Amino acid sequence: MPPYGRQQLMPNEEAQEQSRFDIEIWKKILPYFMRYKFLVAAVAALLFLMALIDIALPLFMRYAVDRFIGIRSTDGIWAYAAAYIGLIAFETLLVVIEALAAIRIEMLIARDLKKAAFEWLQRLGLDYYNTHPVGSIIARMFSDTNRVTGLVAWAAPDLVWSAVYAIGAISIMMLLNWQLALIALGSIFAALAAIAVFRRSLLSANRKERSANSSLTAAINEGIMGAKASKALAIEAKNAEEFSETTQTMYKASLRSQVLNAAFMPLVSLLTTAIAASIIYRGSILTLENVIELGTFTAFISYSMGILEPISHASRIITDMIASQAGVERFTEILSAEPGVTDSIEVVEAYGDIYEPKTEAWEEIEGSIEFRNVSFKYPDGEGEILDGFSLYIPAGSSLAIVGETGAGKSTIVNLACRFYDPSEGSILIDGKDIRLRSQKWLHSQLGYVLQDPHLFSGTIEDNIRYGKLGATLDEIKEASDLVGLGKVVEKLEDGYNTQVGESGSNLSTGEKQLISFARAIINDPPILVLDEATSSVDTEIEAMLQQAIQSMLRKRTSIIIAHRLSTISSADMIIHVDKGRITEKGTHAQLLAKQGEYWNLYQAMLSEES
């Protein structure tokens, strides 16, 4: 039995529509296996040798029966025993080597697939993440890759063993006695037909179990993530009732699946025994009639007991590969996704890409930004968000953008940062279309602070250093002092070595925001973007941030989206946006004097803050 026999791979419920083996699907990941073609070939060669040994073992038994038992002699038995034990020891060695090689193949290819997917995900734009849930991406990178690599590294080479053993065993049986071989083959085909019918039921049951498991996982996730809302709405009893129904469905699906799984191997054993019984019945008659020798009869029994295993084994492998095709498709979908924003070949040659930037060719930025007749709609949305939008922001000035939710404020920022490219028109920095220089160049010149900043696992020092890789501790402290973070860090027991936790879970919202401010300015960016950067902090932290913001904005081109009056009113220019169009534009004093849309919004914000 080859190594694949140690594991039972469960079909995936999402493969239900695919009922046949499709080589084109598997070709998509073939290049990753071809990197280790010599190692794969070595595994196949080892399995070929193992199959030959397994084919030879019944012939050894035949020889022993005819040479020693039949004539009641022990002459030469020690040489025979040594050869037999040596053959078994050699096969055992081959099994160990093959298993180690298969493990290496599995780990290497799993590593390469995950690495390729992660690197490609870094190139994909926000449009991809807006349309693909995080859980789905993670499942593709881990569950699907592990399943596929495990299947191919172990199961695919095992087809060599199954094919060689089945063909070899049947051929020898035909040579030994074609009549008895035909009886054996007839019994084998009948058994395989029964197994095929049983496996269809087993496959269907496994799919239902995995589908029920997905529903159960989703229910658990929703129950935990929505615990606060559930308590606020007092719907705990309803949640428990719905979860009970989900677990009952899971129970029924799992019970049927496990019963069928448990019954599969006994069924194979029963059919194998039935085949052996038919061979024993007819073989006994032929032996008594001296048509065949006792050793040949013994070899036939051995072959008949073993021949069903490789055929059933190959059937299971092919079934599992069919079931795993959906996993291959889901994973390769990541690698085939096209980035929504790409640099031209000429730009890459001049400026490099995100992994190999040519920083020596990067120009310095003064900071003027111009939207020139820009139209845009999100790839996954309908209707234009911006239509013929034009705006000029002088270098070193600050722009505040206000408007109702959905007015297009964040879209303007996303386009200025080139997270998306406009459908029509162009965006210029220092008078040059941003598409004529690399994304890496632009993003390296930006300081970006979000409303809900993301912190990476590690220390405060690590997170600030992401803004300038290679920054010294003195530079980190200087940036922290500029935004008021230094005073906060001094109160922490571990200072800058404080662990922030997953997504900053060990810190308050205000502390996380201060870290994001320090991270944004440590590289001294010529362009600064504040997207609702102070809306989630308390009054004390906001007071610290407002002072920091004034220092940060000095001599930088800044785009500010905010609802706090103190942040907006000091901007050099304010625009009110509605449905992607500028309805009002001017300084704080000028817009208040007009008593238009901005005045109404200002009064509402003033009332809210009061």
Side-chain angles (χ1 to χ4, degrees):
M1 166 85 67
Y4 177 70
R6 304 191 205 117
Q7 53 184 338
Q8 179 69 31
L9 297 179
M10 185 175 293
N12 192 307
E13 77 278 5
E14 294 183 46
Q16 293 183 36
E17 297 180 3
Q18 184 61 271
S19 59
R20 61 182 180 84
F21 182 78
D22 188 349
I23 189 64
E24 294 301 322
I25 293 177
W26 292 94
K27 282 182 179 179
K28 296 177 180 180
I29 60 171
L30 184 60
Y32 294 93
F33 290 86
M34 292 304 294
R35 296 177 184 178
Y36 310 103
K37 57 186 176 217
F38 296 112
L39 194 56
V40 172
V43 169
L46 290 170
L47 287 165
F48 182 85
L49 288 175
M50 290 160 58
L52 293 180
I53 293 173
D54 290 333
I55 293 170
L57 290 178
L59 297 179
F60 267 74
M61 186 182 299
R62 177 195 182 207
Y63 177 84
V65 171
D66 291 341
R67 180 66 181 80
F68 304 118
I69 299 175
I71 63 175
R72 298 178 182 275
S73 171
T74 59
D75 291 342
I77 195 170
W78 293 112
Y80 167 84
Y84 188 84
I85 293 173
L87 192 62
I88 294 297
F90 180 61
E91 183 177 29
T92 302
L93 178 62
L94 292 181
V95 170
V96 173
I97 296 173
E98 188 273 339
L100 292 175
I103 291 172
R104 183 171 176 80
I105 292 172
E106 180 181 5
M107 296 300 104
L108 285 171
I109 296 175
R111 178 200 65 185
D112 291 352
L113 289 175
K114 290 180 175 65
K115 183 172 180 288
F118 186 81
E119 289 180 352
W120 189 248
L121 284 169
Q122 305 305 299
R123 296 180 183 273
L124 296 179
L126 295 181
D127 54 323
Y128 183 83
Y129 295 98
N130 288 341
T131 55
H132 292 76
V134 174
S136 173
I137 297 174
I138 293 175
R140 295 178 188 207
M141 287 190 64
F142 288 92
S143 178
D144 289 334
T145 57
N146 291 341
R147 175 177 171 77
V148 170
T149 54
L151 178 64
V152 178
W154 291 93
D158 284 355
L159 288 174
V160 175
W161 178 88
S162 300
V164 173
Y165 184 86
I167 294 172
I170 292 172
S171 299
I172 291 179
M173 291 169 72
M174 293 295 290
L175 290 173
L176 291 176
N177 186 283
W178 66 269
Q179 293 175 321
L180 201 55
L182 289 178
I183 295 174
L185 288 176
S187 301
I188 290 168
F189 288 137
L192 287 176
I195 290 174
V197 172
F198 187 87
R199 284 195 68 79
R200 278 198 292 269
S201 299
L202 181 61
L203 183 63
S204 175
N206 283 337
R207 285 170 176 164
K208 290 179 181 178
E209 181 186 16
R210 289 180 65 85
S211 178
N213 183 65
S214 296
S215 300
L216 182 64
T217 302
I220 293 173
N221 180 71
E222 189 174 64
I224 295 173
M225 298 299 292
K228 186 175 182 179
S230 295
K231 291 186 178 299
L233 297 170
I235 57 173
E236 294 93 339
K238 183 177 184 301
N239 288 346
E241 181 182 352
E242 292 178 351
F243 188 77
S244 177
E245 294 175 358
T246 304
T247 53
Q248 181 66 16
T249 301
M250 178 66 183
Y251 163 75
K252 292 179 179 179
S254 298
L255 182 62
R256 174 172 170 76
S257 173
Q258 295 307 313
V259 167
L260 290 175
N261 273 300
F264 180 73
M265 290 312 297
L267 173 66
V268 173
S269 298
L270 175 63
L271 294 173
T272 301
T273 304
I275 294 172
S278 67
I279 297 297
I280 292 172
Y281 172 75
R282 182 57 184 167
S284 299
I285 296 174
L286 294 176
T287 303
L288 292 173
E289 295 176 350
N290 293 321
V291 175
I292 62 174
E293 296 177 342
L294 182 60
T296 300
F297 175 45
T298 305
F300 256 98
I301 294 176
S302 180
Y303 282 126
S304 63
M305 293 288 288
I307 193 66
L308 191 60
E309 181 181 333
I311 299 176
S312 175
H313 188 66
S315 172
R316 186 168 78 247
I317 291 173
I318 293 173
T319 300
D320 288 340
M321 291 186 74
I322 291 172
S324 297
Q325 288 178 163
V328 179
E329 290 278 46
R330 285 193 301 271
F331 173 76
T332 54
E333 188 274 337
I334 294 178
L335 299 178
S336 61
E338 292 294 331
V341 178
T342 57
D343 292 331
S344 66
I345 296 175
E346 294 77 14
V347 169
V348 173
E349 289 178 350
Y351 295 93
D353 61 12
I354 62 171
Y355 289 114
E356 296 181 357
K358 299 178 181 178
T359 55
E360 67 279 1
W362 290 3
E363 299 95 333
E364 292 186 1
I365 287 182
E366 293 182 7
S368 68
I369 303 174
E370 181 181 0
F371 288 74
R372 187 175 291 176
N373 199 30
V374 169
S375 297
F376 174 77
K377 68 176 180 179
Y378 287 99
D380 55 330
E382 296 182 2
E384 298 283 348
I385 304 298
L386 301 181
D387 185 12
F389 183 87
S390 295
L391 174 68
Y392 180 74
I393 308 171
S397 66
S398 57
L399 169 74
I401 307 175
V402 299
E404 300 296 333
T405 301
K409 304 186 297 295
S410 294
T411 300
I412 295 171
V413 169
N414 287 336
L415 289 170
C417 297
R418 209 188 170 198
F419 296 143
Y420 297 92
D421 276 339
S423 309
E424 296 180 7
S426 56
I427 300 171
L428 297 82
I429 291 182
D430 295 343
K432 189 173 183 178
D433 195 316
I434 58 176
R435 289 171 289 197
L436 298 179
R437 287 182 278 201
S438 71
Q439 298 174 67
K440 181 75 171 182
W441 167 84
L442 175 60
H443 296 159
S444 297
Q445 313 294 325
L446 293 174
Y448 200 119
V449 182
L450 294 167
Q451 176 182 359
D452 186 16
H454 178 82
L455 297 187
F456 299 92
S457 296
T459 65
I460 293 176
E461 179 182 341
D462 294 334
N463 273 274
I464 298 175
R465 188 174 281 117
Y466 278 117
K468 182 182 180 182
L469 300 178
T472 65
L473 181 58
D474 288 338
E475 290 176 313
I476 290 172
K477 290 181 177 180
E478 182 180 350
S480 299
D481 291 338
L482 180 61
V483 300
L485 175 62
K487 297 178 181 178
V488 175
V489 173
E490 287 175 359
K491 300 177 183 178
L492 300 175
E493 182 178 351
D494 294 326
Y496 287 95
N497 289 320
T498 300
Q499 293 288 330
V500 303
E502 183 178 359
S503 299
S505 57
N506 295 341
L507 304 175
S508 68
T509 301
E511 289 169 338
K512 290 193 291 184
Q513 194 65 285
L514 287 171
I515 293 172
S516 71
F517 267 73
R519 183 171 63 189
I521 65 166
I522 190 171
N523 197 36
D524 193 22
I527 298 176
L528 183 66
V529 176
L530 305 179
D531 190 352
E532 302 284 6
T534 61
S535 61
S536 298
V537 299
D538 55 36
T539 306
E540 181 181 355
I541 294 294
E542 186 197 2
M544 297 171 61
L545 289 179
Q546 289 303 333
Q547 183 177 358
I549 287 173
Q550 298 309 314
S551 300
M552 293 166 64
L553 298 184
R554 203 169 294 128
K555 297 182 180 180
R556 289 187 175 91
T557 305
S558 307
I559 302 177
I560 306 163
I561 299 176
H563 285 117
R564 298 290 175 94
L565 296 176
S566 53
T567 306
I568 299 171
S569 59
S570 59
D572 296 323
M573 179 170 58
I574 303 170
I575 60 172
H576 181 277
V577 180
D578 182 36
K579 296 180 180 179
R581 295 180 179 274
I582 298 175
T583 57
E584 291 182 343
K585 177 180 176 182
T587 64
H588 175 68
Q590 290 170 342
L591 295 179
L592 286 182
K594 289 184 178 181
Q595 294 193 359
E597 295 291 338
Y598 177 76
W599 185 85
N600 293 329
L601 186 63
Y602 178 82
Q603 294 299 321
M605 288 189 292
L606 188 64
S607 176
E608 181 181 342
E609 293 191 11
S610 298

